[in-house]
Amino acid sequence: MRKGLVILLAVIMTVLPAGTALAAEDTPAAGTQDAGTVLAIDNENLYPGMDQPYSSGYMPAVAGGSASIVLPLVPAQELQGGSINITVDLGDASSSPFVFQNYDKTVGLKEHMVNNGAGRAKACLVELNLPLAEGRLSGRYPVTVSVQGQVQGGAQFTQAFTLYVTVTDGIDPNAPAAQDPGDADAPAGGTGGGGGAGGGEAKPKPKVMLGGYSVNPSPVLAGQEFGLSVTLQNTSDSQPIKNMKVTVSGETADIIPMGETNSFYFKKVAKQESAAIDTRLMVQQTAEPKPQKILLHVEYEGDGGTEVTSDESIVIQVKQPVRIEYDEPEIPQEVNAGDTMSVSMNVMNMGKGTVYNVRAEVEAPGLVPEGSLFLGNLESGAAKKGDLYVFVSTLDSSGADAKYGYTNGKMTLSYEDEFGEVSTQEFDFSTNINPPVINAPQEEEEEEKPETQSQWWISVLILGAVIGGILGIRYALKRRKQKAEDNEDV
């Protein structure tokens, strides 16, 4: 029975939505006969180029200016031609860190060495090497691998597997903007006049630049306020600036000011001096978890009342709060040693962002789980359910009295946000381990045997009595007939 449950668990893990770093989504091709879900990610085996299997948390590697992706796909149906076609979507070209080129290819179904040469597995092994662009920003970026193919019989299928690549060697989106080296300013243009004097020499305009900023907290949580401190510096070494007005706003409606005003006035900023602004803003609850811009519009005057305007921007990272809820698993109060019990877990993502690598584990003396329950990624508003199989052993093998009794344990649910930060929730439980139940079918048969034998002898006696009665009647009739014949002769 335990072997059958292990096989059932493997089947369940195969059909769950795929991947540690991926969220698999099936999208049938329009206008064709849909073959259903054909491909699933091989969660258990370690393929070349992977540091760990998907069930243990595989993530694409980033090194040497490129990202490497290994995606083993196992077909549940026979593929026509023994191959699939893939296309790669790298997202928005204006913000993606990847070099855009043609990554489409055909991938065949072949046997591959797995688990560091300890075994072989048959799969369509998608291997991608994505060069990273210069000037890229650090962050987490989606890569969608779309698969098209046919199964035997001609039915077509299309599936999409989205995974996330974490880039850490790029430009920090929260770093202060680099200052322009040097202090040379453009000429004001035109010549000054007055009082009949001839043309005067044009003076350079003073320049205001972002000297630095800080965001607290960072990353900024959607739906909450945050503080912003900004320093604006007069880079001129010869002129002050006057009547400086600074307006702070969000690039989109996702960021709104929370102070009494979002405009700040400074009567004068001396040469090589700076002005500081402290304000509070808020990110809307519905904001997407991605980098967002804060805009600074600066208006000021130089010598002679020359009006100058400039614009600066600050990039902040917005994250959505993680809201994971689950149905409390039901664990029996009484179990028997030698049994295998199933623990169901239903997890729901109530937040606005995606959570990654959702898994559950059981720890308790005397309980031996057959692995961890891996549910993969959960999109906003999605729910997934799975079963974790646990073998009931004994508490201690040193003595008969210590083998059975109550055991206390915990079930741990863990998951990651879009920044890779791991969160956990724990559920405590207790159960009583009883001795194994041993059935005795032979004793029951022996108890039933005398009753069966008794019923057989009764049947024989009844049959003998019936036969004896028939013979007696026939003998009596025969004697009567013989007597009548003797009387006739006399």
Side-chain angles (χ1 to χ4, degrees):
M1 177 179 177
R2 182 185 177 190
K3 182 177 180 182
L5 290 174
V6 172
I7 296 174
L8 178 60
L9 176 60
V11 173
I12 292 173
M13 294 298 295
T14 301
V15 302
L16 283 174
T20 298
L22 330 192
E25 181 178 84
D26 298 342
T27 52
T32 63
Q33 181 183 358
D34 180 23
T37 300
V38 176
L39 299 172
I41 296 175
D42 187 347
N43 283 317
E44 300 301 323
N45 291 313
L46 178 68
Y47 287 79
M50 297 169 59
D51 58 345
Q52 56 188 344
Y54 274 85
S55 60
S56 299
Y58 164 77
M59 296 292 288
V62 177
S66 64
S68 299
I69 297 173
V70 180
L71 178 60
L73 300 175
V74 180
Q77 303 179 41
E78 186 175 356
L79 300 175
Q80 185 168 311
S83 64
I84 56 175
N85 299 316
I86 70 163
T87 57
V88 182
D89 182 4
L90 301 178
D92 187 358
S94 63
S95 59
S96 175
F98 307 108
V99 174
F100 278 68
Q101 60 188 35
N102 184 16
Y103 296 101
D104 299 353
K105 63 170 73 174
T106 299
V107 180
L109 179 62
K110 301 178 182 178
E111 277 197 351
H112 302 273
M113 298 293 293
V114 296
N115 304 324
N116 297 319
R120 301 182 67 87
K122 198 170 185 180
C124 295
L125 188 61
V126 178
E127 297 175 290
L128 297 173
N129 187 54
L130 308 177
L132 298 175
E134 295 291 336
R136 59 188 175 272
L137 295 178
S138 295
R140 194 180 184 111
Y141 297 92
V143 175
T144 301
V145 179
S146 296
V147 182
Q148 302 86 32
Q150 288 183 310
V151 298
Q152 290 296 339
Q156 299 183 12
F157 67 91
T158 298
Q159 289 179 251
F161 301 86
T162 300
L163 56 103
Y164 289 82
V165 177
T166 300
V167 177
T168 58
D169 60 354
I171 299 172
D172 184 357
N174 293 321
Q179 296 188 18
D180 187 12
D183 208 21
D185 298 310
T191 57
E201 183 181 353
K203 291 185 178 181
K205 294 181 292 185
K207 182 178 291 186
V208 174
M209 297 191 66
L210 181 65
Y213 71 90
S214 64
V215 178
N216 185 33
S218 181
V220 180
L221 199 62
Q224 294 187 2
E225 292 187 25
F226 66 96
L228 174 66
S229 298
V230 178
T231 300
L232 294 171
Q233 185 175 8
N234 177 9
T235 62
S236 175
D237 57 3
S238 61
Q239 300 180 56
I241 58 176
K242 302 175 183 178
N243 299 324
M244 184 174 73
K245 176 186 176 184
V246 182
T247 304
V248 181
S249 62
E251 184 181 35
T252 67
D254 288 337
I255 300 177
I256 57 176
M258 294 301 293
E260 295 180 356
T261 180
N262 66 327
S263 296
F264 303 88
Y265 174 77
F266 301 88
K267 186 175 182 179
K268 181 180 178 180
V269 180
K271 58 185 180 181
Q272 293 294 318
E273 294 295 327
S274 59
I277 297 174
D278 290 299
T279 187
R280 295 194 66 79
L281 301 98
M282 187 183 79
V283 178
Q284 299 275 34
Q285 182 70 53
T286 56
E288 293 185 21
K290 66 178 183 180
Q292 301 260 15
K293 280 187 178 181
I294 299 175
L295 305 180
L296 304 175
H297 180 67
V298 186
E299 305 173 43
Y300 57 94
E301 297 175 1
D303 279 356
T306 305
E307 295 184 356
V308 185
T309 61
S310 65
D311 292 287
E312 300 285 348
S313 64
I314 296 170
V315 179
I316 64 170
Q317 182 64 58
V318 175
K319 66 180 293 186
Q320 278 286 342
V322 177
R323 292 178 55 209
I324 288 293
E325 296 184 7
Y326 63 92
D327 295 333
E328 191 170 288
E330 296 183 0
I331 296 179
Q333 296 295 316
E334 302 283 339
V335 294
N336 296 101
D339 291 347
T340 298
M341 64 178 178
S342 171
V343 180
S344 296
M345 195 76 178
N346 185 33
V347 183
M348 297 156 284
N349 181 7
M350 310 299 289
K352 301 292 184 180
T354 302
V355 292
Y356 305 88
N357 303 329
V358 181
R359 69 180 66 194
E361 298 178 340
V362 168
E363 295 180 33
L367 300 182
V368 183
E370 295 181 349
S372 61
L373 172 60
F374 181 75
L375 297 178
N377 301 339
L378 272 179
E379 301 289 339
S380 173
K384 289 184 181 179
K385 184 177 182 180
D387 294 317
L388 179 61
Y389 293 95
V390 181
F391 177 73
V392 182
S393 182
T394 56
L395 295 175
D396 191 351
S397 59
S398 60
D401 295 337
K403 287 185 177 182
Y404 312 109
Y406 281 94
T407 182
N408 298 315
K410 64 180 179 179
M411 191 167 189
T412 304
L413 178 68
S414 63
Y415 44 88
E416 301 175 16
D417 61 12
E418 61 268 20
F419 297 95
E421 183 178 345
V422 179
S423 301
T424 59
Q425 297 185 40
E426 293 184 353
F427 164 71
D428 295 326
F429 67 89
S430 65
T431 186
N432 186 28
I433 301 179
N434 296 311
V437 176
I438 302 176
N439 295 325
Q442 293 182 351
E443 294 180 1
E444 294 179 359
E445 291 180 0
E446 290 177 358
E447 292 176 357
E448 293 177 358
K449 185 175 180 181
E451 182 180 354
T452 304
Q453 291 177 348
S454 176
Q455 293 176 352
W456 182 80
W457 283 109
I458 292 173
S459 300
V460 171
L461 290 175
I462 293 174
L463 180 62
V466 171
I467 294 174
I470 294 172
L471 292 177
I473 293 172
R474 290 185 63 185
Y475 179 75
L477 292 174
K478 186 177 181 180
R479 290 278 298 175
R480 187 175 179 181
K481 182 179 180 181
Q482 182 66 36
K483 187 175 181 181
E485 290 177 355
D486 292 340
N487 291 333
E488 289 178 358
D489 293 338
V490 173

